[in-house]
Amino acid sequence: MNNQKPQKPTLSGQRFKTRKRDEKERFDPTQFQDCIIQGLTETGTDLEAVAKFLDASGAKLDYRRYAETLFDILVAGGMLAPGGTLADDMTRTNVCVFAAQEDLETMQAFAQVFNKLIRRYKYLEKGFEDEVKKLLLFLKGFSESERNKLAMLTGILLANGTLNASILNSLYNENLVKEGVSAAFAVKLFKSWINEKDINAVAVSLRKVNMDNRLMELFPANKQSVEHFSKYFTEAGLKELSEYVRNQQTIGARKELQKELQEQMSRGDPFKDIILYVKEEMKKNNISEQTVVAIIWSSVMSTVEWNKKEELVAEQAIKHLKQYSPLLAAFTTQGQSELTLLLKIQEYCYDNIHFMKAFQKIVVLFYKAEVLSEEPILKWYKDAHLAKGKSVFLEQMKKFVEWLKNAEEGNQAA
């Protein structure tokens, strides 16, 4: 038996020459650059005429292939060498961002040129985004004035949606951060962005690309603190950005606090250790007692699988909350904190329907355990309650409130 594999057939014969039109066109950005620069020189500094020229040229020139060259010219006046310098032997034009006046109005006019171009040729979107990322990495190669113009332009383009906030990743480059270039550039960028929109719109854009908690990375590791960020940007006239970062830091600290609290509770750590940890976090992250008592309430209520039967859940809740009363009492040293806790209890009992009848029992328990005192309870009853389930909860509390009032009057008479 022959075990040899059959030989595969081979093709042989004359090799035909490829026709000229089938050959891949040679990559020649210099010729493309010359065409664009000649056209821009003819249009002059009239940016309306520039936009029309670019619109018409897209039908004749290969924008898809030479996108980087096109954007280099429009920003810097010619093709950029690695590092951001213009090659000496290259033709250049003054009809570009870097040669323009350094003011917001001029940059807004240039932003319109880019908007029109990219709206007309949608395939340039990705190329333009890549170009801006590259330009940001080249910042050290540009003059201070060129950086300022690019920052203003980028801020405007972020505001009108031409650019995605993910381009800011380039600013976290170690060398740019170390030399303070990133932070200085960010000042001009955020000023023009906020000028076009507002801090809330900026926050939404940053959140979409998970950049909302990374702004402190604009500084070296030894300066990445809320205090340093706040001082730097407030002095630069960006108080709203400083406050936004401070709030973000607090939100992050709250989430971390809640997570750690739940872990400590599930481990059954002693209350004295938990209280010590929470007080340290409050001091470190400037978190108020009202915020903390709300976090503790939420954590305490989430550690249990509650009974779905209304008649059994109240008993289960009282037993559970009695155990955690000392922890809550440690963070209700102010009347406002007590009121916050009352509102959280009301909200919880309303949102979890089987707790509706347990509200009064929980309040009485906390009163006896000295978590809550007379004055905040009476204030809650009179005018500080929420609208949620108001009639039900006020009715439940009626007798207890009357008893509190009588006891208070009795004390005053004595």
Side-chain angles (χ1 to χ4, degrees):
M1 192 177 172
N2 189 0
N3 288 329
Q4 276 189 322
K5 285 185 180 177
Q7 206 171 357
K8 287 183 180 176
T10 56
L11 288 172
S12 61
Q14 192 181 353
R15 196 168 177 182
F16 292 97
K17 276 190 173 180
T18 313
R19 280 181 294 184
K20 202 77 178 167
R21 70 168 184 235
D22 295 333
E23 286 179 8
K24 194 173 181 186
E25 193 188 336
R26 190 167 63 89
F27 184 70
D28 186 10
T30 311
Q31 192 181 349
F32 176 86
Q33 177 182 245
D34 292 343
C35 292
I36 294 290
I37 287 178
Q38 187 187 337
L40 291 175
T41 306
E42 287 167 10
T43 60
T45 53
D46 177 2
L47 294 184
E48 281 288 329
V50 168
K52 283 175 185 171
F53 160 71
L54 292 170
D55 188 302
S57 297
K60 295 173 275 182
L61 299 172
D62 194 348
Y63 280 179
R64 194 185 294 273
R65 196 169 190 209
Y66 298 110
E68 186 179 0
T69 305
L70 174 64
F71 292 129
D72 273 2
I73 296 165
L74 292 175
V75 173
M79 280 194 291
L80 290 168
T85 54
L86 281 168
D88 292 332
D89 57 338
M90 286 286 185
T91 328
R92 62 186 69 188
T93 176
N94 285 327
V95 186
C96 65
V97 172
F98 283 178
Q101 280 184 280
E102 190 186 320
D103 61 63
L104 205 55
E105 197 178 333
T106 306
M107 291 306 110
Q108 284 167 336
F110 263 101
Q112 280 304 308
V113 172
F114 287 104
N115 284 342
K116 286 174 184 173
L117 178 62
I118 289 161
R119 274 206 305 268
R120 176 74 177 83
Y121 300 103
K122 289 287 282 181
Y123 59 79
L124 286 174
E125 269 182 2
K126 178 73 171 66
F128 185 52
E129 208 163 279
D130 290 343
E131 173 74 10
V132 176
K133 286 177 186 174
K134 178 191 82 174
L135 291 169
L136 297 189
L137 290 172
F138 286 175
L139 286 178
K140 278 168 66 181
F142 306 145
S143 70
E144 188 183 346
S145 176
E146 288 168 349
R147 288 202 288 258
N148 290 344
K149 291 170 203 172
L150 182 60
M152 286 189 274
L153 177 71
T154 307
I156 295 161
L157 293 170
L158 282 163
N160 65 31
T162 305
L163 285 173
N164 184 292
S166 61
I167 57 109
L168 298 176
N169 266 313
S170 293
L171 290 179
Y172 301 134
N173 172 277
E174 193 181 343
N175 291 324
L176 295 176
V177 169
K178 191 178 171 184
E179 296 190 26
V181 175
S182 293
F185 185 86
V187 167
K188 291 280 183 187
L189 182 149
F190 280 110
K191 273 189 178 177
S192 70
W193 192 353
I194 292 167
N195 179 65
E196 295 289 311
K197 292 281 188 178
D198 59 30
I199 191 65
N200 296 323
V202 170
V204 169
S205 298
L206 291 172
R207 205 174 301 122
K208 277 181 184 171
V209 293
N210 297 318
M211 204 78 75
D212 47 331
N213 289 315
R214 291 192 61 197
L215 292 180
M216 277 196 287
E217 292 174 42
L218 291 165
F219 296 101
N222 61 341
K223 291 181 180 176
Q224 284 178 20
S225 69
V226 176
E227 284 66 35
H228 180 77
F229 186 99
S230 189
K231 186 174 185 291
Y232 185 91
F233 281 94
T234 301
E235 285 174 2
L238 280 164
K239 193 175 180 215
E240 58 266 74
L241 187 68
S242 301
E243 286 171 356
Y244 166 71
V245 166
R246 194 176 283 281
N247 289 338
Q248 284 302 108
Q249 191 72 3
T250 307
I251 290 164
R254 286 179 202 163
K255 285 179 181 172
E256 198 54 44
L257 175 61
Q258 181 146 13
K259 186 183 166 191
E260 181 58 30
L261 256 177
Q262 285 170 343
E263 285 177 12
Q264 288 178 347
M265 287 175 188
S266 62
R267 288 197 304 263
D269 289 6
F271 286 159
K272 64 178 176 61
D273 294 349
I274 297 176
I275 291 166
L276 189 66
Y277 163 75
V278 173
K279 285 186 174 175
E280 281 173 3
E281 289 299 304
M282 283 171 72
K283 192 176 177 183
K284 188 168 79 178
N285 295 298
N286 197 26
I287 305 173
S288 68
E289 190 180 79
Q290 291 96 285
T291 302
V292 164
V293 81
I295 291 171
I296 293 172
W297 166 261
S298 172
S299 301
V300 166
M301 296 307 279
S302 65
T303 57
V304 179
E305 188 68 49
W306 295 108
N307 202 302
K308 293 287 181 278
K309 292 183 179 175
E310 199 173 39
E311 62 275 13
L312 296 175
V313 81
E315 192 184 326
Q316 186 189 6
I318 296 303
K319 192 178 176 184
H320 179 67
L321 291 169
K322 193 172 185 178
Q323 181 190 342
Y324 282 96
S325 292
L327 181 59
L328 285 156
F331 299 98
T332 50
T333 63
Q334 304 161 13
Q336 196 56 46
S337 306
E338 293 181 52
L339 197 53
T340 299
L341 179 57
L342 272 163
L343 294 172
K344 286 292 168 190
I345 300 166
Q346 181 185 350
E347 201 169 37
Y348 188 89
C349 291
Y350 178 81
D351 292 342
N352 297 275
I353 195 85
H354 46 293
F355 271 84
M356 286 291 278
K357 289 181 182 175
F359 178 76
Q360 185 263 2
K361 292 185 174 76
I362 294 170
V363 175
V364 171
L365 165 75
F366 283 161
Y367 174 74
K368 288 178 180 175
E370 296 185 354
V371 175
L372 297 171
S373 53
E374 293 91 335
E375 200 177 320
I377 295 171
L378 294 173
K379 183 168 175 54
W380 172 88
Y381 187 82
K382 186 184 176 188
D383 56 20
H385 48 259
L386 300 170
K388 291 179 172 183
K390 179 175 97 170
S391 56
V392 175
F393 299 136
L394 290 179
E395 183 59 36
Q396 276 184 37
M397 290 291 290
K398 198 174 177 182
K399 285 183 181 176
F400 181 59
V401 165
E402 281 171 9
W403 179 84
L404 280 179
K405 284 178 180 173
N406 291 335
E408 199 174 31
E409 284 165 11
N411 288 338
Q412 283 171 357

